[in-house]
Amino acid sequence: MKKAIKSVIAALLVVSTLAGCSSFTGTQSSGTAAQGESASAGSGKDSITLYLKNEIPTLNQFSASDNIAFAVLNNISEGLYRLDKENQPQPALAKDVTISDDQLTYTFTLRDGLKWSNGEPLTSKDFQFAWLRQMTADARNNYSFIMTDYITNALEYSEGKATADKVGLEAPDDTTLVVHLKAPTPYFLFLTTFVPYFPQNEAFFQKQGDNFGLGKDNLIYSGPFTISQYDAASGVTLVKNDNYWDADNVKISSAKIKIIKEQSTAMNLYKAGQLDRVELSSAEVPSYKEDPEFSTNTIFRTQFLQINTTAEGTKNVNIRKAISCAIDNDLLANTILNNGSEAAVGVVPGTMSSGVTGKKFSSFQNGLKTFDVAKAKEYWKKGVAELGKEPQLSIVLDDDTETKDVGTFIQSQLKDNLGIDVTLDSKTKEARRTLMKSSDYQMGVNAWGADYDDAMTYIQLWADHSVINGFRGNFIDESYDKAISDAKAEVDTEKRAEILASAEKYLISDQTVIVPLYYMGSAYLTKSNVKDLFVTHAGTLELKHVSVQ
Amino acid sequence: MNRYILKRLVYLAVTLLVITTLTFFLMHSLPGTPFDEDKISRLSAAQQQQIYASYGLDKPLYIQFFRYLTNMFKGDFGTSTLYLGMPVSRIVLNRILPSALIGFQAVLFGVVIGLVLGIIAAYRHNTSMDYMTMIISVLGISIPNFVVAALLQYFLGFKLGWFPVAYWESYANSILPSLALSFGVIAQIARFIRTEMLSVLQQDYILMAQSKGLSPAKILVKHALRNSILPVVTILGSIVVNLLTGSLAVESIYSVPGIGSLFVDTIKANDYSTILGLTVFYSAFYVVVILIIDILYCLIDPRIRLASAKE
């Protein structure tokens, strides 16, 4: 008896030790080679080490939907166009495009001799296959709208009401791709730089089945890099793709992207020379601001206060205007957040393209959010008189540190400038959304990240009534909706930008449905020998041009 | 004995079923869906319907539940919606190995050092050795492991460069996290052993052993230790489960691809199948460890008989 138990325990010990060992060798076999490189990461000539702040959810392009996955996918695959340092689309797998006069037909010509990483030719059929799949519910990233909104008959195909050959997408020969659009879309080339618009090799994809994207061998590459090591929770190692058409201009031979969730860990690794870039927290920014390695970057993501236009108190437009005028966004961005974020005047970041060559959207924006305490008090008085009593206000917001800081700041601004007490109600993201959708709130801190580089991505949010209206403040306004549909039909880019800018003014200054707060940014330290490493306005990591000196 | 284990295994199955049922319905009462609502709200009603249908989420909850149970019995825990397309069993397996290695080393190191310290403290009762052990033990219990982890990382990793600062690339990467986790174990074990040992050392049979002329080492190991180790085995169960199933804080400090953060991440993302898979896994692990501990009792103290072993 005793012996039996003893042997059982001995066996258990052996098993657990083996489990321990195998865990280890599994990661080690692929890890030791990488470790050799890491010793030279800081000083090496052709390799860099970066990190992501969360695990890689997937590397299947049809499932990927966030900047973590895109950071990898954008560098291992490529679209017709690719964004350059100035965030402008440059020919990539396509060498050229012809746009019809009515701006509804785009004819792309692919480069000659394009190859997948396995040596197979990359043709316009690969685009057709991937785009058609992206339109359907089989694309688990739920990004099908990014195609079905634009391409003719795509929505019908996606809903099963039309067949694939009806979709406005043709591949007459191996290097030509013709796309038919529903309406003029000045930002269509930007869309082709986005991961859901990337090609895929049908034969390879079908062969992999459910395993597609799960491991490095379950992927096929069309971009500047391929993957030599991949673990969702510890990171990827990218190596130069010799079959890439522009391989001569890819200057680094490898890039390691680690997963580091802890800010202090990233900082220690950066100082120890094992990371080439570290993102700074607000608290760290002041001590590094003068450092030559310091830089900041904003992305197209706007934080704003959504006001419910039908709720008690906030249904009064003067109350809404008073709140907007009482909040000092400069103080918020530069003192409270101090992490590279910029004070917002509109919901559309001014650095967005306007569709007019050489003009940013900011040159059309005017009369948006201002900070003016005297005016705020005036509006408040007026609003209170109209309501007959002073309203009790509260704000719902997410429970992460940054958002809570923002909430506390708004609370103190309204106290200082209007003399009112506002309650903060912090919830998990899901609970906050549920509350907002059911219209059970007065104000909520919300955010929107651009899907593409055009003001439409923001402006149309309040005209899209397929969304539960409560979430957008129950703002149902015919003149606003009409402006959006006019803009969508407008071929003249100058006029279109004007319509969009005046719609934004109506939304923010006249109706004050939202109070823009800040454009999200980051502050970094980057090793001085690393050049041309950037994050696009969409927030996507771009490694193609990086060099290490 | 075999019958006893069999009976316990049946209990295990029932426990798991109850836990799965509870978790399933509680989880579905969380607000939100597994999808990014900014995106899903941009789709047409028909498109949204297709997506829900493709995950089987359009069916009534009880049908989803029975479907889950049937698949579970076939060994299919479904695929994750956070790590899209990845089978849950593969995620859990990938993540548990690093956590288990670190946890195993922490328990091993912690128990050995804890035992030694505890024995010394008891044997040299009320001496400076004893006080030092108790100081270590109070510190070990009161300082949270993530503080220890951050300090070890900064001094041994960054300043002195003896160990890697972070990452999971070679065996050396597992040492600092194991050390950080073992502090708490050392403290707990040392305290228990010391208290237990002190009372055992007062017993008559120790006096008897001494008068027989046995060496102090033999008395300590053979007579005192064996009789004072039982409470340690009791707490060992929860220590093992705690450590082998990963530590959120320590793993994120050392960038270990372990299982620690998985639960929190998947709950935040409403990743139903992974939440369930993990719950089943944790519960099964816990119940099995308790069973092993019960068997260990019997081995250490022959006076203890397993409930039905007599039959």
Side-chain angles (χ1 to χ4, degrees), chain A residues 160-467:
Chain A
K161 293 177 196 151
T163 51
D165 56 308
K166 296 281 186 296
V167 178
L169 187 60
E170 297 153 32
D173 62 56
D174 279 355
T175 55
T176 311
L177 186 74
V178 185
V179 188
H180 300 281
L181 301 184
K182 295 181 193 177
T185 310
Y187 50 89
F188 190 72
L189 290 184
F190 284 96
L191 289 178
T192 67
T193 68
F194 191 38
V195 172
Y197 273 85
F198 286 3
Q200 187 49 250
N201 184 316
E202 183 172 8
F204 182 84
F205 180 83
Q206 304 295 7
K207 207 180 108 198
Q208 293 297 326
D210 285 345
N211 288 325
F212 178 74
L214 295 189
K216 69 182 172 77
D217 300 322
N218 308 114
L219 281 162
I220 190 165
Y221 309 93
S222 56
F225 299 94
T226 64
I227 295 179
S228 68
Q229 189 205 341
Y230 168 42
D231 177 68
S234 54
V236 290
T237 303
L238 306 180
V239 292
K240 191 170 165 174
N241 177 4
D242 293 327
N243 280 326
Y244 180 58
W245 66 272
D246 201 16
D248 292 347
N249 286 318
V250 178
K251 296 173 196 98
I252 49 172
S253 65
S254 71
K256 283 203 286 176
I257 303 177
K258 297 285 185 183
I259 310 298
I260 302 172
K261 295 179 182 173
E262 209 43 56
Q263 170 66 20
S264 62
T265 303
M267 200 49 163
N268 283 337
L269 286 164
Y270 181 80
K271 286 187 191 156
Q274 292 177 42
L275 263 188
D276 289 301
R277 169 174 277 192
V278 64
E279 195 174 325
L280 299 174
S281 66
S282 311
E284 288 166 332
V285 170
S287 35
Y288 291 102
K289 221 159 191 170
E290 306 305 322
D291 198 304
E293 297 178 349
F294 179 85
S295 64
T296 60
N297 182 46
T298 53
I299 57 170
F300 288 150
R301 188 173 175 84
T302 310
Q303 297 280 336
F304 55 86
L305 190 64
Q306 174 69 58
I307 310 183
N308 186 353
T309 58
T310 54
E312 194 56 43
T314 52
K315 66 182 176 206
N316 183 289
V317 69
N318 287 314
I319 296 291
R320 302 203 294 267
K321 284 182 179 171
I323 293 164
S324 178
C325 287
I327 301 171
D328 183 357
N329 284 353
D330 285 319
L331 190 62
L332 172 63
N334 302 328
T335 309
I336 307 294
L337 295 169
N338 192 24
N339 56 2
S341 295
E342 284 174 19
V345 286
V347 67
V348 182
T351 46
M352 278 198 133
S353 314
S354 62
V356 184
T357 325
K359 276 194 186 174
K360 292 285 172 200
F361 193 69
S362 58
S363 56
F364 293 89
Q365 284 174 311
N366 65 63
L368 296 170
K369 175 173 160 21
T370 49
F371 168 61
D372 187 333
V373 179
K375 252 188 176 166
K377 284 183 171 143
E378 206 175 293
Y379 281 131
W380 183 257
K381 236 168 115 185
K382 226 164 123 190
V384 172
E386 283 164 10
L387 286 171
K389 62 170 184 301
E390 200 161 89
Q392 286 294 312
L393 298 177
S394 73
I395 303 175
V396 287
L397 65 165
D398 291 350
D399 56 1
D400 62 287
T401 326
E402 184 170 313
T403 314
K404 280 201 278 197
D405 286 349
V406 172
T408 315
F409 172 76
I410 298 174
Q411 191 181 37
S412 72
Q413 289 273 289
L414 297 182
K415 176 84 189 162
D416 293 350
N417 299 332
L418 294 178
I420 57 169
D421 289 305
V422 177
T423 40
L424 296 182
D425 185 10
S426 70
K427 298 229 175 299
T428 63
K429 191 174 179 180
E430 294 298 345
R432 193 256 304 163
R433 282 170 165 281
T434 309
L435 214 58
M436 286 180 72
K437 280 183 184 168
S438 55
S439 274
D440 192 9
Y441 74 108
Q442 287 171 306
M443 295 181 273
V445 179
N446 204 355
W448 182 260
D451 289 324
Y452 44 85
D453 188 1
D454 188 273
M456 189 62 93
T457 185
Y458 288 98
I459 304 288
Q460 74 170 7
L461 295 177
W462 287 270
D464 180 1
H465 303 297
S466 67
V467 189

Side-chain angles (χ1 to χ4, degrees), chain A residues 1 23-24 55 57 63 140 142-144 149 158-159 258-259 261-262 265 274 433 437 451 460, chain B residues 1 37-39 42-44 47 50-51 55 83-84 95 97 167 169-171 252-253 255 261:
Chain A
M1 176 65 205
S23 111
F24 191 61
E55 289 149 30
S63 300
R140 293 292 164 90
N142 302 331
Y143 251 123
S144 54
D149 280 1
S158 142
E159 292 175 348
K258 297 285 185 183
I259 310 298
K261 295 179 182 173
E262 209 43 56
T265 303
Q274 292 177 42
R433 282 170 165 281
K437 280 183 184 168
D451 289 324
Q460 74 170 7
Chain B
M1 179 69 188
E37 300 195 28
D38 275 344
K39 292 200 186 68
R42 298 279 310 276
L43 302 172
S44 73
Q47 284 175 312
Q50 282 178 349
I51 286 172
Y55 287 96
Y83 302 95
L84 268 156
R95 300 299 194 84
L97 293 177
Y167 298 156
E169 292 176 328
S170 67
Y171 180 73
S252 81
I253 286 174
S255 285
S261 62

Side-chain angles (χ1 to χ4, degrees), chain A residues 1-2 5-6 9 12-13 16-17 19-24 27-28 31-32 34-35 38 49 54-58 63-65 135-137 140-145 148-149 155 158-160 210-211 214-215 218 231-234 256 258-262 264-265 268-269 271-272 274-275 428 430-431 433-434 437 447-448 451-452 460-461 464 466-467 471-472, chain B residues 1 30-48 50-51 54-55 79 82-87 90 94-101 104 108 150 153-154 157-158 164-174 226 244 249 252-258 261-262 265 267-270 288 292 295-296 298-300 302 305-306 309:
Chain A
M1 176 65 205
K2 217 168 150 184
I5 298 171
K6 261 184 180 163
I9 289 164
L12 277 172
L13 275 175
S16 62
T17 326
C21 290
S22 68
S23 111
F24 191 61
T27 26
Q28 192 188 26
T32 32
Q35 204 196 18
S38 91
T49 309
N54 226 324
E55 289 149 30
I56 302 166
T58 176
S63 300
S65 65
M135 289 169 194
T136 67
R140 293 292 164 90
N141 53 16
N142 302 331
Y143 251 123
S144 54
F145 65 86
T148 57
D149 280 1
L155 183 63
S158 142
E159 292 175 348
D210 285 345
N211 288 325
L214 295 189
N218 308 114
D231 177 68
S234 54
K256 283 203 286 176
K258 297 285 185 183
I259 310 298
I260 302 172
K261 295 179 182 173
E262 209 43 56
S264 62
T265 303
N268 283 337
L269 286 164
K271 286 187 191 156
Q274 292 177 42
L275 263 188
T428 63
E430 294 298 345
R433 282 170 165 281
T434 309
K437 280 183 184 168
W448 182 260
D451 289 324
Y452 44 85
Q460 74 170 7
L461 295 177
D464 180 1
S466 67
V467 189
F471 197 65
R472 302 272 178 239
Chain B
M1 179 69 188
L30 286 173
T33 67
F35 310 113
D36 178 346
E37 300 195 28
D38 275 344
K39 292 200 186 68
I40 205 131
S41 63
R42 298 279 310 276
L43 302 172
S44 73
Q47 284 175 312
Q48 291 190 21
Q50 282 178 349
I51 286 172
S54 66
Y55 287 96
T79 56
L82 176 63
Y83 302 95
L84 268 156
M86 193 67 102
R90 186 164 158 183
N94 277 347
R95 300 299 194 84
I96 192 69
L97 293 177
S99 294
L101 173 65
F104 181 74
L108 204 66
Q153 178 182 58
Y154 187 75
F158 176 58
V165 176
Y167 298 156
W168 188 250
E169 292 176 328
S170 67
Y171 180 73
N173 290 101
S174 72
R226 186 149 180 197
L244 264 62
S252 81
I253 286 174
Y254 291 103
S255 285
V256 174
S261 62
L262 198 58
D265 288 348
I267 288 175
K268 274 195 200 153
N270 281 1
V288 168
I292 295 176
I295 299 173
L296 268 182
C298 165
L299 179 76
I300 293 166
R305 283 281 161 255
L306 296 175

Side-chain angles (χ1 to χ4, degrees), chain B residues 21-295:
Chain B
T21 315
L22 275 177
T23 314
F24 186 89
F25 290 100
L26 280 176
M27 175 179 83
H28 277 274
S29 68
L30 286 173
T33 67
F35 310 113
D36 178 346
E37 300 195 28
D38 275 344
K39 292 200 186 68
I40 205 131
S41 63
R42 298 279 310 276
L43 302 172
S44 73
Q47 284 175 312
Q48 291 190 21
Q49 181 56 31
Q50 282 178 349
I51 286 172
Y52 280 92
S54 66
Y55 287 96
L57 291 171
D58 55 335
K59 301 269 184 319
L61 212 51
Y62 70 94
I63 292 188
Q64 292 183 38
F65 178 62
F66 283 112
R67 183 181 290 173
Y68 184 83
L69 280 191
T70 356
N71 287 339
M72 195 174 91
F73 285 123
K74 290 185 213 147
D76 173 12
F77 288 88
T79 56
S80 169
T81 49
L82 176 63
Y83 302 95
L84 268 156
M86 193 67 102
V88 169
S89 47
R90 186 164 158 183
I91 298 178
V92 173
L93 195 71
N94 277 347
R95 300 299 194 84
I96 192 69
L97 293 177
S99 294
L101 173 65
I102 291 175
F104 181 74
Q105 292 187 155
V107 172
L108 204 66
F109 187 71
V111 168
V112 171
I113 302 291
L115 276 181
V116 171
L117 283 181
I119 293 170
I120 294 174
Y123 193 64
R124 299 247 179 270
H125 187 42
N126 282 340
T127 64
S128 54
M129 283 292 263
D130 182 20
Y131 299 138
M132 215 162 74
T133 310
M134 283 308 101
I135 290 173
I136 292 177
S137 150
V138 169
L139 286 180
I141 286 177
S142 48
I143 302 179
N145 58 21
F146 59 85
V147 176
V148 179
L151 289 174
L152 287 178
Q153 178 182 58
Y154 187 75
F155 289 105
L156 301 189
F158 176 58
K159 282 283 174 195
L160 297 171
W162 292 354
F163 298 100
V165 176
Y167 298 156
W168 188 250
E169 292 176 328
S170 67
Y171 180 73
N173 290 101
S174 72
I175 294 172
L176 285 187
S178 303
L179 270 183
L181 283 178
S182 69
F183 269 72
V185 184
I186 293 177
Q188 267 176 299
I189 302 277
R191 252 167 30 120
F192 266 89
I193 280 288
R194 175 180 173 273
T195 318
E196 217 34 51
M197 200 90 160
L198 279 178
S199 74
V200 169
L201 286 175
Q202 308 293 322
Q203 300 287 328
D204 293 344
Y205 59 80
I206 298 291
L207 199 66
M208 155 87 172
Q210 280 167 342
S211 58
K212 275 202 302 189
L214 291 180
S215 70
K218 204 160 188 184
I219 294 172
L220 270 184
V221 175
K222 193 133 197 206
H223 297 272
L225 184 62
R226 186 149 180 197
N227 284 304
S228 40
I229 210 162
L230 215 53
V232 173
V233 173
T234 314
I235 58 163
L236 204 58
S238 58
I239 291 180
V240 166
V241 171
N242 263 335
L243 291 186
L244 264 62
T245 51
S247 150
L248 196 152
V250 171
E251 284 174 9
S252 81
I253 286 174
Y254 291 103
S255 285
V256 174
I259 206 164
S261 62
L262 198 58
F263 223 166
V264 181
D265 288 348
T266 50
I267 288 175
K268 274 195 200 153
N270 281 1
D271 183 351
Y272 297 140
S273 22
T274 315
I275 300 175
L276 269 183
L278 270 179
T279 311
V280 171
F281 173 76
Y282 280 152
S283 333
F285 189 56
Y286 195 66
V287 181
V288 168
V289 168
I290 291 176
L291 177 63
I292 295 176
I293 296 289
D294 284 353
I295 299 173

